[in-house]
């Protein structure tokens, strides 16, 4: 009954078959690294987003949420450093013309070595790569590729160009009349919408430091090598929170959020043994400390969330380029009994990709199960063990037959329950087939209305995870499911 880690292609196929994720514009053969969420996927994604939003804004009285626009004044990205620094080192194979992100090329090679039992050698390669990356030593990186004879997967040759930096931001034009156009960018992170609104929120919300501003929304990156399904996309969604603190207290808050965010992932049902921290070797241009929370995806441990101590870098830069003061007056008294006064706050950021989180939930939930029944025959099912609080549908309501007044009772129950949570109504096929379909979608509870219901007002409730069934009063269904899905 164990959940296999190496079942990635089955998970991708399952997501498509059961309305979770489709390739974008599939009828035109799709668009690389862009995906659409189907009817069940969109609901699961919304539930995960709502769970994050609630935990940030409702459960923390000093965090509020905003919804800033995707388009921002182009100077935003100059100030943030994205115009000058938001690039990845790339290398092209001269024979196939295929372009690779250097770290991906080397990591793939190291993974292959580890898979053939050469784990120590693989670790050595990664250590060397991280050392070169931290110093932007492109000559060192290229020799690492050449010395290890790392080949292009298309041409099979080692005929590489020099390593160059490529900016990841998408550009577009504002305005349609020639000569009046202006280059703007699709935001590569949602964080800057928070920084530029820092004073608006602080003043209108009368926020006192420490306080946070949260936001969820789309971000865009022209990833050269987008891969691994929804793990690395060109259009994706982030859930970010900037926590504004008094300078000098940032490490205290950094450690607080580091611990808090790991606990949060566990509260979402992710197993502790598949989560770990990874400290950054090379810090981003804005950070003085950074850690990733990594998850063990079907293709290994990879970044799920980043926690950065961003210093006062962003606010200071925006203050300089916009020529508007972005300071906070702190009237609390310091050790000398004087107010701390005016300063630019320091920031601790938590930033998680919603699509990546979706992938962690689905890959934890997916299980192929086989067992022997009491009569000795074999049985099997594919089940999504999605935690009930975030499952797309909470309850399926299934009349045993399409007659004898059972559909009417079932619809009455549905009309009552849909006021509180998402319900699914199904009257086609055998009850066994309907249960299997609900397992595959991840619906945690099914209620069957049968002839006994007409006699004594009871129904059978069937639990997805244990497949056990019990008889409960029809009138208790809504209350029971509400209890099971509440946090
Ligand atoms: N504001 C900080 C920031 O954007 P990041 O580490 O570049 O930091 C944060 O991104 C998170 O966004 C990542 O941990 C990941 O979950 C998600 N993310 C980044 N690039 C992504 C991509 N191309 N596709 C899907 N998710 C991505």
């Amino acid at each position: 009954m164990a959940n296999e880690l190496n079942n990635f292609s089955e998970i991708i196929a399952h997501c498509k078959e059961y309305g979770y994720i489709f390739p974008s514009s599939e009828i035109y053969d799709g668009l690389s690294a862009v995906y659409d969420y189907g009817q069940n996927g969109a609901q699961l994604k919304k539930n995960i987003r709502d769970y994050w939003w609630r935990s940030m804004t409702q459960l923390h009285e000093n965090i509020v949420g905003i919804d800033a626009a995707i388009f921002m004044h182009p100077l935003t990205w100059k100030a943030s450093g994205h115009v000058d620094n938001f690039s990845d080192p790339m290398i092209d194979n001269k024979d196939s013309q295929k372009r690779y992100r250097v770290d991906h090329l080397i990591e793939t090679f190291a993974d292959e070595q580890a898979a053939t039992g050469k784990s120590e050698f693989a670790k050595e390669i990664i250590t060397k790569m991280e050392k070169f990356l931290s110093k932007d030593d492109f000559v060192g990186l290229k020799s690492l590729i050449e010395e290890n004879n790392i080949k292009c997967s298309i041409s099979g040759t080692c005929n590489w160009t020099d390593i160059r930096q490529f900016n990841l931001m998408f550009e577009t034009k504002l305005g349609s009349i020639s000569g009046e156009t202006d280059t703007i960018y699709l935001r590569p992170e949602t964080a800057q919408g928070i920084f530029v609104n820092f004073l608006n929120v602080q003043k209108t919300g009368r926020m006192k430091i420490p306080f946070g501003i949260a936001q969820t929304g789309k971000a865009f990156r022209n990833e050269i090598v987008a891969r691994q399904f929804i793990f690395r996309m060109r259009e994706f969604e982030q859930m970010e929170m900037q926590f504004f603190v008094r300078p000098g207290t940032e490490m205290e808050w950094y450690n607080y959020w580091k611990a808090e965010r790991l606990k949060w992932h566990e509260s979402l049902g992710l197993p502790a043994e598949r989560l770990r921290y990874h400290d950054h070797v090379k810090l981003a241009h804005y950070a003085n400390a950074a850690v990733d929370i990594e998850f063990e995806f079907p293709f290994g441990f990879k970044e799920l969330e980043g926690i950065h101590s961003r210093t006062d870098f962003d606010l200071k830069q925006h203050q300089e380029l916009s020529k508007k003061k972005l300071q906070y007056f702190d009237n609390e008294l310091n050790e000398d009994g004087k107010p701390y006064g005016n300063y630019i706050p320091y920031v601790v950021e938590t930033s998680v990709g919603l699509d990546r989180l979706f992938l962690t939930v689905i890959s934890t939930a997916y299980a192929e199960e086989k067992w022997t029944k009491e009569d000795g025959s074999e049985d099997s099912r594919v089940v999504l063990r999605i935690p009930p609080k975030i499952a797309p549908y909470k309850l399926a309501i299934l009349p045993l037959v399409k007659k004898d007044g059972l559909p009417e009772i079932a619809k009455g129950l549905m009309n009552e329950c849909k006021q509180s949570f998402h319900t699914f109504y199904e009257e086609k096929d055998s009850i066994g087939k309907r249960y299997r379909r609900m397992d595959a979608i991840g619906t945690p509870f099914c209620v069957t209305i049968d002839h006994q219901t007409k006699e004594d007002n009871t129904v059978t409730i069937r639990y997805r995870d244990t497949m056990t069934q019990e008889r409960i009063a029809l009138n208790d269904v809504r209350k029971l499911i509400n209890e099971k899905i509440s946090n």
Side-chain angles (χ1 to χ4, degrees):
M1 288 225 172
N3 191 4
E4 299 291 331
L5 279 180
N6 55 359
N7 50 9
F8 196 33
S9 49
E10 285 83 357
I11 293 173
I12 297 171
H14 191 88
C15 281
K16 179 152 184 243
E17 191 176 345
Y18 288 95
Y20 273 90
I21 297 173
F22 308 125
S24 159
S25 34
E26 196 187 6
I27 55 168
Y28 296 103
D29 296 333
L31 184 65
S32 162
V34 186
Y35 290 91
D36 296 340
Y37 286 81
Q39 66 279 19
N40 293 320
Q43 188 61 47
L44 174 59
K45 193 175 171 197
K46 180 182 183 311
N47 294 350
I48 300 174
R49 189 192 299 112
D50 288 350
Y51 186 68
W52 181 90
W53 184 261
R54 177 181 177 275
S55 78
M56 282 294 174
T57 64
Q58 188 177 326
L59 301 183
H60 289 96
E61 56 276 21
N62 58 349
I63 301 181
V64 291
I66 64 164
D67 183 12
I70 287 172
F71 292 143
M72 300 183 71
H73 193 286
L75 278 181
T76 308
W77 306 109
K78 186 73 190 156
S80 67
H82 284 82
V83 171
D84 300 320
N85 295 315
F86 194 55
S87 48
D88 280 331
M90 304 282 178
I91 193 165
D92 291 28
N93 183 273
K94 291 185 197 161
D95 298 323
S96 66
Q97 313 289 323
K98 189 168 162 59
R99 181 166 293 164
Y100 292 86
R101 241 178 84 170
V102 170
D103 56 337
H104 289 170
L105 182 69
I106 300 173
E107 270 170 19
T108 307
F109 173 74
D111 286 347
E112 285 162 8
Q113 301 303 306
T116 57
K118 296 184 200 153
S119 310
E120 282 311 309
F121 177 58
K123 271 190 210 146
E124 212 178 282
I125 297 274
I126 295 294
T127 312
K128 279 189 188 161
M129 176 189 81
E130 286 182 338
K131 207 171 105 206
F132 290 137
L133 278 174
S134 68
K135 293 186 195 149
D136 282 334
D137 181 349
F138 293 169
V139 175
L141 282 166
K142 188 167 179 199
S143 1
L144 186 67
I145 292 170
E146 286 173 341
E147 278 159 21
N148 288 286
N149 206 15
I150 300 180
K151 296 193 176 91
C152 162
S153 60
I154 310 273
S155 67
T157 69
C158 213
N159 192 7
W160 297 110
T161 61
D162 283 341
I163 294 173
R164 284 166 297 161
Q165 294 274 25
F166 284 90
N167 196 292
L168 298 183
M169 281 198 294
F170 281 103
E171 286 180 10
T172 186
K173 300 280 179 203
L174 194 68
S176 56
I177 305 164
S178 166
E180 288 179 17
T181 58
D182 213 343
T183 299
I184 57 166
Y185 302 97
L186 297 187
R187 65 181 178 199
E189 61 169 15
T190 59
Q192 298 305 322
I194 295 179
F195 288 122
V196 299
N197 279 299
F198 156 72
L199 264 195
N200 282 338
V201 174
Q202 191 273 318
K203 288 202 153 68
T204 56
R206 295 150 62 103
M207 308 300 289
K208 271 187 165 306
I209 267 180
F211 73 91
I213 305 179
Q215 171 166 227
T216 71
K218 289 273 180 150
F220 304 82
R221 294 184 189 177
N222 199 359
E223 301 281 2
I224 300 300
V225 187
R227 54 181 189 170
Q228 287 153 336
F229 194 34
I230 55 169
F231 178 79
R232 193 176 304 286
M233 301 156 89
R234 298 203 163 101
E235 174 182 341
F236 57 101
E237 197 165 332
Q238 288 187 316
M239 305 195 289
E240 300 201 297
M241 194 276 298
Q242 312 296 322
F243 200 68
F244 299 91
V245 304
R246 189 177 290 152
T249 64
E250 70 274 12
M251 287 317 289
E252 190 187 310
W253 287 110
Y254 171 75
N255 288 323
Y256 169 83
W257 282 111
K258 186 175 157 180
E260 197 65 13
R261 293 303 302 149
L262 190 73
K263 271 192 265 163
W264 184 85
H265 288 292
E266 289 173 18
S267 81
L268 196 60
L270 304 184
E273 66 279 10
R274 288 178 75 179
L275 290 162
R276 71 178 187 196
Y277 291 122
H278 173 77
D279 286 310
H280 282 210
V281 181
K282 187 182 177 200
L283 292 176
H285 57 272
Y286 47 73
N288 69 357
V291 65
D292 290 339
I293 294 178
E294 292 189 337
F295 178 77
E296 191 181 20
F297 289 94
F299 39 85
F301 272 100
K302 299 275 179 215
E303 175 185 349
L304 167 63
E305 168 152 7
I307 295 141
H308 295 113
S309 170
R310 286 181 84 126
T311 67
D312 57 356
F313 176 86
D314 301 85
L315 288 179
K316 215 176 191 171
Q317 286 286 104
H318 287 306
Q319 176 168 284
E320 205 171 305
L321 267 81
S322 68
K323 314 227 173 343
K324 308 271 173 8
K325 270 209 151 67
L326 292 177
Q327 297 192 357
Y328 172 79
F329 183 75
D330 190 338
N331 57 11
E332 273 193 30
L333 302 182
N334 62 20
E335 285 161 5
D336 303 331
K338 295 186 181 135
Y340 281 95
N342 270 315
Y343 56 78
I344 298 179
Y346 270 44
V347 171
V348 174
E349 168 187 74
T350 72
S351 172
V352 60
L354 177 52
D355 311 86
R356 269 188 207 180
L357 196 52
F358 185 108
L359 186 53
T360 65
V361 169
I362 283 279
S363 54
T364 306
Y366 181 88
E368 291 170 14
E369 299 179 347
K370 280 196 177 78
W371 65 94
T372 308
K373 292 199 290 193
E374 273 172 17
D375 64 4
S377 62
E378 298 292 311
D379 208 347
S380 66
R381 66 169 181 168
V382 174
V383 56
L384 289 182
R385 296 170 173 275
I386 302 172
K389 64 187 171 198
I390 53 167
Y393 288 104
K394 313 300 184 195
L395 175 67
I397 300 175
L398 316 171
L400 190 64
V401 289
K402 275 192 261 181
K403 54 184 185 182
D404 303 335
L406 304 188
E408 286 72 15
I409 302 175
K411 282 185 180 150
L413 179 63
M414 191 172 85
N415 285 337
E416 181 198 339
C417 288
K418 73 185 184 191
Q419 303 298 331
S420 301
F421 44 79
H422 267 84
T423 55
F424 191 96
Y425 180 84
E426 175 96 279
E427 52 184 32
K428 206 168 149 268
D429 291 331
S430 73
I431 198 72
K433 272 195 184 155
R434 282 184 268 170
Y435 283 157
R436 286 291 182 277
R437 213 161 29 236
M438 287 302 112
D439 288 344
I441 291 175
T443 307
F445 311 104
C446 292
V447 154
T448 305
I449 316 290
D450 55 20
H451 293 96
Q452 194 184 328
T453 311
K454 287 172 71 177
E455 287 162 23
D456 63 5
N457 265 329
T458 64
V459 293
T460 300
I461 182 161
R462 186 241 190 206
Y463 298 96
R464 176 198 66 197
D465 293 347
T466 56
M467 291 190 278
T468 52
Q469 303 183 9
E470 63 178 324
R471 208 76 203 170
I472 62 166
L474 179 64
N475 288 341
D476 289 343
V477 172
R478 182 177 178 179
K479 186 166 155 273
L480 180 88
I481 305 298
N482 265 329
E483 277 166 18
K484 300 255 180 222
I485 61 177
S486 65
N487 286 315

